[in-house]
């Protein structure tokens, strides 16, 4: 595979057909037949297009040929040269620069290989004889900063040439597969069975060897500076770009048999090493600090001479080391010992230190808790419930509270009395078992359980630490840096570094990698970590690595996944950004393929938005859906290495159309037609009802007029009877007065009988005429008053005519005239309440009950025509009114409970 000056990518097929890729299609080279004619038995080893479009082809054991842009074939070197291949690049001046590796003809396999250089004129010149013979792999050439080139012969040789001169030459212990120059101008040589070599300088001397035992070659460098290495077995390795230092016995430093513990003291980092002195790192350099051997305790059957833990006391600026049976401090000049006064046994190995803000040193062994008094005496803390649980760790808060981790949970001792013990996290089951580590940092207590789970205690809040995905963080060991952040090794199959910090009050977890060149995985599992000033220290089995945190790769490339096939009703569809399907195309099948450069087993999860509400985890790569309902869907799939974060999401959106009978427009049309039909039916019904109502109203009006016509003669009869009686009594003056009033009243009645509504003023005037006639008729029998409130406007207020007069007539005839004594009163009051006309007709007559009794005695068959007529008329008026006319009749009583009259209330809206 190579790129021509036009940027096209050329590839060769297994059938030796050359072509380039254009728009995801293979376009064959138009002179493949010419190539076939010169390549009858040989194997093409390399080819390139120059700026003029000429193809340069090297054919193993056949020669070196060129094919012009017009298809002309020219032999540069023939079969007699025994050519193994050519390598092609451009000089700084832009002219082509070609090396060829040839071997003279002959059957002797031990013949040396010769290196030739072709000048721009086409002349081939001999350069050098290589030390190896019979090359196996293709030759490779890379450019150097100074304009020279470095090439490999295809076997073990590496040669640096400057134009037609060989500058340096060396051989590796394995056949070279490839050369690669990274962005920092480091040269990497991939070999057949010795991994990759870092070629340190232009003299081609091999340096660090990585991935030993594999066939490996660097193939690419990413934008972070990391290198991708293709290895045997179709595997890829990733080499992060790190500026790292390593200290080991091999490099002439301490024998780091096992780095056990780091502790930070100011600008220095102290490392406790198993079987060697304490290593002290400061400003990139290392020195050693011999620790005193504890030879005073013997006979335990265990090593008591080597400390098992170190701790730097930042309050008193002392380095502490813990042994079995005692502790010692280093003040920068000498060690000072403090021994336990009790009998020393195997359980009294010091396992944890802590210091309070007042400088009091706290420390613990497995079965007891101690503190060092100001007098330099070791005092045991009487805490039997802790001692019985076997201590595993210790942490001291700035407030002075002491936290103790045991095999049965966490306990807290207050600052004042070490006898007050409580378990603040007793409600969490996972914190009532084995506790690995305790740390006080960032104003919190951090608890690492036996199952590697991590919790934080902040005040009364206890919270389990998880990743963004919700999965719990699992940590093998935790250490705090000077800024309070936590660092720890994860419990993954491929261990990582977890950086745990507080961001805006929330716990943030960041994973970093330290798989330096792939050679630390096994050692890192048992290593320890420390961080100071953005520098990380990693203690391994045999080395200590130092690196800047900013250069750590934050995560391995997450596996990607792509939806490869999309089937609808068992027919494959071309995948597009959005697919619209008919309602019958509702059987969906999707297949997806992972893209991962790691050999770990992958797991997948998917969901179909529009159907699924949660992710479904699976191991296979085929998903089927049947009988999907119409709607919009979005299929999403992710992949990950088990226990790690999920990679990027691949999506495929599609839409299943709704059948027309379920479509909104169809349903809307059906509803519209139905509503139109119902509306039309209502229209017909209302029109018929309106016609009927019109007839009813016309009939009611006729009936009202008839009733009024009936009421008028009734009143005329009563009035004429009164006048007749006056004439009979020869009371001419009163008879003439009555006739005048009667004539005026008749004119009013006749005028009102033609009206549906009249003004209140007109009604009151008619009532006044009527009451005057009745007053003359029954002289001295009763007094009357007609009152209109000020809120009323009589000349504007409209009422039906003739509704009030019958009730006044009843009050006079049946109430007041039946009184034995004089002094009858009749009051008519008009008032306004909420836009309603209230008419009260009140008398102090004998009442309805007594009036009924008297009427029964006089004439049992007599019926009050006027009252009944007005009631019928009110009912007829209410039929055509929304606001009904109401009638209320009340019986009045005296103070002693005797009938005291009647009150009629007429409410006219």
């Amino acid at each position: 595979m190579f790129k021509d000056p036009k940027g096209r990518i050329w590839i060769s097929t297994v059938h030796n057909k050359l072509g380039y890729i254009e728009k995801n299609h293979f376009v064959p080279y138009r002179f493949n037949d010419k190539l076939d004619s010169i390549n009858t038995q040989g194997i093409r080893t390399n080819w390139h297009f120059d700026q003029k479009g000429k193809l340069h082809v090297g054919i193993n054991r056949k020669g070196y040929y060129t094919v012009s842009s017009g298809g002309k074939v020219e032999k540069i070197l023939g079969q007699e040269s025994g050519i193994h291949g050519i390598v092609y690049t451009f000089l700084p001046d832009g002219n082509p620069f070609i090396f060829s590796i040839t071997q003279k003809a002959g059957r002797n396999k031990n013949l040396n290989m010769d290196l030739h250089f072709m000048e721009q004129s086409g002349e081939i010149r001999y350069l050098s004889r290589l030390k190896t013979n019979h090359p196996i792999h293709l030759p490779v050439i890379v450019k150097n900063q100074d304009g020279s080139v470095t090439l490999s012969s295809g076997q073990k040789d590496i040669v640096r040439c400057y134009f037609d001169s060989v500058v340096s030459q060396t051989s590796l212990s394995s056949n070279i597969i490839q050369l690669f120059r990274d962005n920092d101008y480091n040269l990497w040589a991939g070999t057949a069975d010795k991994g990759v070599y870092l070629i340190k300088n232009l003299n081609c001397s091999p340096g660090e060897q990585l991935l030993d035992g594999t066939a490996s070659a660097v193939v690419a460098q990413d934008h972070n500076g990391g290198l991708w290495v293709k290895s045997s077995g179709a595997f890829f390795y990733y080499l992060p770009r790190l500026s790292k230092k390593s200290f080991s016995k091999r490099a002439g430093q301490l024998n780091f048999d096992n780095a056990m513990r780091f502790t930070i003291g100011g600008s220095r980092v102290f490392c406790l090493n198993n079987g060697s002195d304490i290593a002290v790192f400061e400003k990139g350099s290392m020195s050693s600090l011999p620790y005193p051997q504890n030879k005073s305790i013997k006979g335990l059957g265990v090593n008591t001479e080597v400390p098992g833990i170190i701790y730097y006391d930042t309050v008193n600026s002392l380095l502490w080391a813990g042994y079995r049976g005692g502790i010692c401090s280093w003040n920068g000049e000498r060690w000072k010992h403090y021994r336990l006064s009790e009998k020393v046994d195997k359980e009294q190995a010091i396992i944890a230190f802590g210091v309070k803000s007042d400088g009091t040193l706290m420390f613990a062994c497995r079965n007891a808790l101690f503190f060092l008094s100001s007098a330099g005496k070791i005092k045991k803390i009487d805490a039997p419930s802790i001692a019985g649980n076997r201590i595993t760790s210790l942490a001291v808060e700035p407030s002075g509270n002491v936290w103790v981790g045991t095999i049965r949970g966490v306990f807290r001792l207050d600052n004042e009395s070490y006898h007050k013990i409580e378990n603040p996290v007793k409600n969490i089951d996972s914190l009532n078992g084995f506790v690995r580590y305790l740390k006080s940092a960032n104003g919190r207590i951090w608890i690492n359980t036996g199952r590697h789970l991590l919790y934080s205690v902040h005040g009364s809040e206890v919270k389990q630490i998880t990743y963004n995905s919700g999965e719990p963080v699992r940590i093998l060991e935790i250490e705090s840096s000077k800024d309070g952040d936590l660092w720890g090794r994860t419990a993954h199959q491929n261990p990582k570094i977890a950086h745990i910090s507080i961001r805006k009050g929330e716990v943030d977890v960041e994973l970093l990698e330290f798989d330096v060149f792939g050679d630390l995985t096994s050692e890192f599992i048992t290593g320890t970590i420390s961080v100071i000033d953005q520098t990380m220290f990693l203690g391994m089995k045999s080395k200590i690595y130092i690196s800047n945190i900013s250069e750590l790769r934050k995560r391995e490339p997450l596996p990607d996944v792509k939806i490869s096939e999309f089937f609808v009703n068992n027919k494959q569809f071309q995948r597009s950004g959005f697919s619209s399907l008919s309602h019958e195309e509702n059987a969906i099948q999707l297949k997806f393929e992972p893209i991962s450069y790691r050999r770990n087993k992958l797991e997948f999860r998917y969901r179909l938005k529009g159907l699924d509400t949660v992710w479904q985890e699976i191991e296979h790569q085929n998903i089927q859906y049947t009988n999907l309902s119409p709607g919009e869907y979005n299929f999403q799939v992710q992949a990950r290495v088990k226990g790690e974060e999920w990679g990027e999401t691949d999506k495929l959106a599609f839409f299943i159309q709704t059948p027309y009978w379920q479509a909104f427009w169809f349903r809307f049309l059906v509803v519209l037609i139905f509503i139109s039909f119902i509306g039309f039916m209502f229209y017909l019904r209302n029109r018929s009802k309106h016609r009927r109502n019109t007839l009813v109203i016309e009939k009611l009006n006729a009936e009202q007029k008839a009733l009024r016509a009936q009421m008028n003669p009734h009143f005329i009869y009563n009035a004429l009877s009164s006048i007749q009686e006056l004439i009979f009594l020869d009371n001419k003056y009163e008879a003439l007065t009555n006739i005048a009033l009667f004539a005026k009243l008749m004119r009013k009645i006749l005028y009102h009988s033609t009206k549906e509504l009249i003004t209140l003023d007109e009604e009151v005037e008619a009532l006044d005429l009527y009451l005057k006639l009745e007053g003359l008729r029954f002289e001295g029998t009763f007094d009357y008053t007609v009152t209109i409130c000020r809120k009323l406007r009589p000349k504007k207020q409209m009422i039906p005519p003739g509704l009030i007069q019958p009730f006044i007539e009843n009050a006079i005839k049946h109430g007041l005239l039946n009184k034995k004594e004089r002094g009858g009163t009749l009051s008519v009051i008009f008032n306004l309440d909420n836009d309603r006309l209230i008419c009260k007709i009140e008398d102090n007559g004998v009442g309805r009950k007594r009036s009924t009794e008297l009427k029964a005695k006089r004439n049992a068959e007599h019926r009050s025509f006027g009252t009944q007529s007005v009631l019928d008329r009110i009912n007829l008026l209410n039929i055509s009114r929304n606001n009904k006319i109401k009638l209320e009749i009340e019986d009045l009583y005296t103070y002693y409970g005797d009938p005291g009259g009647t009150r009629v209330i007429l409410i006219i809206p």
Side-chain angles (χ1 to χ4, degrees):
M1 180 185 295
F2 65 96
K3 183 187 291 186
D4 67 13
K6 295 181 179 180
R8 296 177 297 186
I9 301 298
W10 290 77
I11 60 175
S12 176
T13 69
V14 293
H15 301 295
N16 279 335
K17 298 297 182 183
L18 184 64
Y20 62 91
I21 304 298
E22 184 175 57
K23 296 181 179 179
N24 295 327
H25 293 286
F26 179 78
V27 181
Y29 178 48
R30 58 177 176 163
F31 299 124
N32 271 325
D33 57 335
K34 303 287 186 180
L35 295 177
D36 292 339
S37 66
I38 62 175
N39 186 34
T40 56
Q41 295 179 349
I43 300 175
R44 297 172 197 165
T45 61
N46 209 338
W47 30 33
H48 281 280
F49 280 99
D50 61 23
Q51 296 287 357
K52 297 180 179 180
K54 180 183 291 187
L55 177 64
H56 298 258
V57 183
I59 304 172
N60 191 15
R61 296 187 299 276
K62 292 292 290 182
Y64 168 30
Y65 296 82
T66 61
V67 182
S68 68
S69 59
K72 181 181 178 180
V73 177
E74 183 179 359
K75 182 177 72 171
I76 307 299
L77 293 173
Q79 185 175 2
E80 72 284 352
S81 66
I83 190 169
H84 173 58
I86 64 169
V87 288
Y88 185 95
T89 187
F90 287 94
L91 294 173
D93 59 7
N95 293 311
F97 183 73
I98 300 173
F99 287 93
S100 63
I101 302 172
T102 63
Q103 184 175 15
K104 291 183 179 180
R107 296 184 179 181
N108 188 349
K109 295 184 179 180
N110 294 323
L111 289 178
N112 289 326
M113 294 186 63
D114 294 328
L115 179 64
H116 292 80
F117 166 67
M118 178 178 285
E119 295 184 349
Q120 299 180 31
S121 62
E123 180 183 353
I124 296 177
R125 296 180 54 189
Y126 170 81
L127 286 183
S128 176
R129 175 161 289 181
L130 306 180
K131 296 180 180 180
T132 58
N133 54 56
H134 190 60
I136 298 174
H137 303 285
L138 302 181
V140 183
I141 189 170
V142 294
K143 295 180 182 180
N144 301 318
Q145 284 177 286
D146 61 353
S148 64
V149 294
T150 301
L151 59 90
S152 68
S153 65
Q155 204 176 44
K156 299 179 181 180
D157 293 292
I158 297 178
V159 181
R160 175 173 167 247
C161 299
Y162 192 79
F163 292 94
D164 58 352
S165 301
V166 175
V167 179
S168 60
Q169 181 176 341
T170 189
S171 293
L172 301 182
S173 60
S174 178
N175 291 328
I176 299 171
I177 299 174
Q178 191 212 31
L179 297 178
F180 183 85
R181 180 76 70 186
D182 64 21
N183 295 335
D184 296 324
Y185 286 93
N186 296 315
L187 182 63
W188 299 87
T191 66
D193 57 5
K194 295 295 183 180
V196 292
Y197 286 86
L198 175 61
I199 308 302
K200 289 186 175 181
N201 49 49
L202 293 178
N203 292 327
C204 301
S205 56
E208 192 165 359
Q209 180 188 3
L210 308 169
L211 304 175
D212 188 14
T214 66
S216 302
V218 179
V219 295
Q221 185 174 28
D222 60 27
H223 66 279
N224 292 321
L227 300 177
W228 291 86
V229 181
K230 173 67 173 63
S231 184
S232 54
F235 297 131
F236 275 88
Y237 287 94
Y238 183 77
L239 310 184
R241 180 179 179 270
L242 295 173
S243 300
K244 56 113 180 165
K245 286 186 177 181
S246 63
F247 297 87
S248 65
K249 181 179 180 181
R250 183 186 306 175
Q253 288 113 5
L254 293 176
N255 179 18
F256 291 99
D257 183 29
N258 187 9
M260 299 170 58
R261 183 67 61 90
F262 286 106
T263 186
I264 299 174
S267 61
R268 296 174 294 176
V269 176
F270 300 89
C271 176
L272 177 63
N273 180 39
N274 186 17
S276 182
D277 294 338
I278 297 174
V280 183
F281 299 94
E282 186 173 14
K283 297 181 180 179
S285 62
M286 188 195 77
S287 60
S288 61
L289 172 64
Y291 53 79
Q293 294 183 348
N294 187 20
K295 297 181 178 180
S296 61
I297 302 175
K298 299 181 179 179
L300 294 180
V302 295
N303 185 6
T304 62
E305 298 179 357
V306 178
I309 184 175
I310 57 174
Y311 173 81
Y312 193 84
D313 174 1
T314 57
V315 178
N316 301 301
S317 300
L318 295 174
L319 176 66
W320 292 91
Y323 296 83
R324 283 182 170 87
I327 59 176
C328 59
S329 65
W330 171 260
N331 62 3
E333 297 180 356
R334 62 186 181 88
W335 289 96
K336 182 178 181 179
H337 287 268
Y338 303 87
R339 290 184 173 84
L340 298 178
S341 60
E342 299 182 1
K343 178 182 177 181
V344 177
D345 57 30
K346 296 180 182 179
E347 297 298 319
Q348 287 187 320
I350 306 303
I351 60 172
F353 282 100
V355 65
K356 299 172 66 175
S357 58
D358 62 0
T360 303
L361 181 73
M362 311 291 297
F363 60 97
C365 60
R366 295 187 183 277
N367 56 10
L369 184 63
F370 304 91
F371 71 92
L372 187 65
S373 69
S374 58
K377 300 294 183 181
I378 296 178
K379 302 291 185 180
K380 183 179 179 180
I381 297 175
D382 185 16
S385 58
I386 290 181
N389 284 331
R390 191 172 180 179
I391 299 173
T392 61
S393 53
L394 176 70
V396 180
E397 288 185 279
S399 62
N401 293 334
V402 179
W403 291 69
V404 181
T406 71
I407 60 173
R408 294 186 178 88
V410 183
F411 295 86
R412 182 174 64 195
L413 286 71
D414 70 343
N415 188 27
E416 300 298 330
S417 171
Y418 295 137
H419 300 283
K420 182 180 180 182
I421 302 172
E422 60 177 326
N423 185 350
V425 292
K426 59 185 177 181
N427 295 326
I428 302 177
D429 293 339
S430 58
L431 293 180
N432 288 314
F434 181 74
V435 174
R436 294 175 59 87
Y437 296 100
L438 288 174
K439 286 292 177 183
S440 175
N442 266 325
R444 301 167 185 248
I445 292 293
W446 303 86
I447 306 173
N448 184 210
T449 70
R451 297 174 59 190
H452 311 300
L453 300 175
L454 185 62
Y455 291 82
S456 75
V457 182
H458 187 218
S460 61
E461 180 187 24
V462 181
K463 183 177 180 181
Q464 184 177 4
I465 308 305
T466 62
Y467 298 107
N468 292 334
S469 62
E471 296 185 18
V473 173
R474 295 185 180 273
I475 298 292
L476 291 175
E477 178 182 328
I478 53 175
E479 293 290 345
S480 61
S481 56
K482 293 173 65 175
D483 58 5
D485 290 355
L486 291 184
W487 301 83
R489 294 175 292 133
T490 67
H492 295 134
Q493 181 179 3
N494 296 319
K496 296 174 174 59
I497 297 171
H499 175 206
I500 302 166
S501 56
I502 306 298
R503 299 288 183 267
K504 297 181 180 180
E506 295 296 327
V507 178
D508 179 70
V509 181
E510 179 186 30
L511 289 181
L512 295 88
E513 306 291 336
F514 202 81
D515 53 349
V516 180
F517 309 138
D519 64 347
L520 299 186
T521 299
S522 61
E523 294 192 356
F524 187 35
I525 295 176
T526 57
T528 184
I529 299 174
S530 184
V531 175
I532 179 173
D533 298 331
Q534 294 300 306
T535 300
M536 176 169 289
F537 293 78
L538 282 180
M540 305 299 177
K541 287 182 178 179
S542 58
K543 293 181 181 180
I544 290 181
Y545 281 92
I546 304 175
S547 175
N548 193 292
I549 294 176
S550 63
E551 295 181 340
L552 293 180
R553 185 165 54 89
K554 300 206 172 176
R555 60 169 62 91
E556 288 199 23
L558 298 176
D560 202 356
V561 64
K562 295 296 180 184
I563 300 170
S564 56
E565 297 181 30
F566 177 39
F567 293 89
V568 178
N569 291 355
N570 295 322
K571 294 182 180 180
Q572 187 167 3
F573 263 50
Q574 184 69 32
R575 178 181 176 181
S576 60
F578 188 86
S579 299
S580 181
L581 310 175
S582 70
H583 68 276
E584 296 177 343
E585 295 174 322
N586 58 4
I588 305 300
Q589 181 182 6
L590 301 111
K591 296 182 180 180
F592 43 88
E593 298 291 338
I595 302 174
S596 178
Y597 303 103
R598 302 162 65 187
R599 68 179 85 184
N600 307 74
K601 184 178 180 181
L602 299 180
E603 55 186 23
F604 307 92
R605 71 174 182 177
Y606 72 93
R607 68 179 175 182
L608 184 63
K609 295 190 72 174
L611 179 67
D612 301 326
T613 57
V614 296
W615 290 91
Q616 307 290 331
E617 295 191 16
I618 55 173
E619 293 185 357
H620 56 83
Q621 297 164 221
N622 192 343
I623 303 297
Q624 287 184 317
Y625 295 95
T626 57
N627 297 322
L628 287 175
S629 302
E632 187 172 338
Y633 297 95
N634 193 327
F635 180 76
Q636 301 176 340
V637 62
Q638 296 176 334
R640 71 170 179 179
V641 175
K642 188 175 182 180
E644 297 185 7
E645 292 186 47
W646 292 100
E648 292 295 326
T649 304
D650 195 22
K651 303 176 182 180
L652 182 102
F654 59 92
F655 178 77
I656 299 180
Q657 299 175 4
T658 304
Y660 72 87
W661 59 86
Q662 293 181 359
F664 173 79
W665 66 265
F666 183 82
R667 293 182 177 181
F668 178 78
L669 182 61
V670 171
V671 171
L672 183 62
I673 293 173
F674 178 76
I675 292 175
S676 299
F677 175 76
I678 297 299
F680 181 69
M681 296 302 295
F682 268 101
Y683 168 74
L684 294 178
R685 181 174 177 273
N686 288 337
R687 188 174 68 172
S688 176
K689 184 177 180 181
H690 177 71
R691 289 179 178 177
R692 290 196 301 271
N693 289 342
T694 301
L695 295 175
V696 169
I697 291 172
E698 290 177 353
K699 179 180 178 182
L700 291 176
N701 290 336
E703 290 176 352
Q704 288 187 49
K705 290 181 180 179
L707 284 173
R708 290 200 299 271
Q710 292 176 359
M711 290 170 61
N712 292 339
H714 175 260
F715 172 73
I716 292 170
Y717 171 79
N718 290 335
L720 289 176
S721 296
S722 299
I723 295 172
Q724 182 183 12
E725 186 177 355
L726 289 173
I727 295 173
F728 179 77
L729 295 174
D730 198 24
N731 193 342
K732 296 180 181 180
Y733 177 77
E734 290 186 2
L736 291 175
T737 302
N738 281 353
I739 290 172
L741 292 174
F742 178 73
K744 188 175 181 180
L745 181 60
M746 285 302 98
R747 286 195 299 271
K748 292 286 185 183
I749 291 174
L750 290 175
Y751 174 73
H752 292 171
S753 63
T754 61
K755 302 289 185 181
E756 291 292 328
L757 296 172
I758 61 173
T759 64
L760 178 61
D761 187 62
E762 292 175 328
E763 180 71 9
V764 169
E765 186 178 356
L767 291 176
D768 186 61
L769 291 172
Y770 171 74
L771 286 171
K772 285 181 178 179
L773 282 172
E774 293 292 79
L776 292 172
R777 179 183 174 191
F778 305 108
E779 182 178 1
T781 305
F782 67 91
D783 295 323
Y784 72 89
T785 58
V786 178
T787 306
I788 301 174
C789 75
R790 294 184 178 180
K791 292 190 292 183
L792 279 171
R793 293 187 294 175
K795 293 185 179 181
K796 298 291 184 181
Q797 184 72 39
M798 306 299 290
I799 63 171
L803 288 182
I804 301 171
Q805 184 271 335
F807 296 106
I808 294 176
E809 180 182 346
N810 277 346
I812 296 172
K813 182 176 181 181
H814 301 293
L816 297 175
L817 295 181
N818 287 326
K819 286 176 66 73
K820 293 181 179 181
E821 66 279 2
R822 290 181 176 271
T825 58
L826 174 68
S827 65
V828 181
I829 302 172
F830 293 95
N831 205 344
L832 187 66
D833 182 20
N834 293 331
D835 295 330
R836 297 179 304 171
L837 179 65
I838 310 298
C839 178
K840 293 182 181 180
I841 305 166
E842 188 174 319
D843 66 80
N844 63 347
V846 298
R848 287 187 296 171
K849 183 178 180 181
R850 179 59 179 166
S851 173
T852 303
E853 293 174 354
L854 294 174
K855 183 171 64 176
K857 292 180 180 180
R858 296 172 185 164
N859 186 3
E861 298 180 356
H862 178 76
R863 183 169 61 93
S864 178
F865 172 76
T867 303
Q868 186 59 44
S869 296
V870 77
L871 292 176
D872 291 342
R873 187 173 172 218
I874 289 174
N875 290 333
L876 290 175
L877 287 171
N878 285 340
I879 291 175
S880 59
R881 282 174 171 262
N882 292 326
N883 297 322
K884 310 297 183 183
I885 299 174
K886 296 181 181 179
L887 176 67
E888 298 176 5
I889 301 178
E890 301 177 9
D891 292 319
L892 304 177
Y893 296 91
T894 64
Y895 176 79
Y896 300 101
D898 297 328
T902 305
R903 180 187 295 137
V904 176
I905 301 174
L906 196 62
I907 304 172
I908 305 172

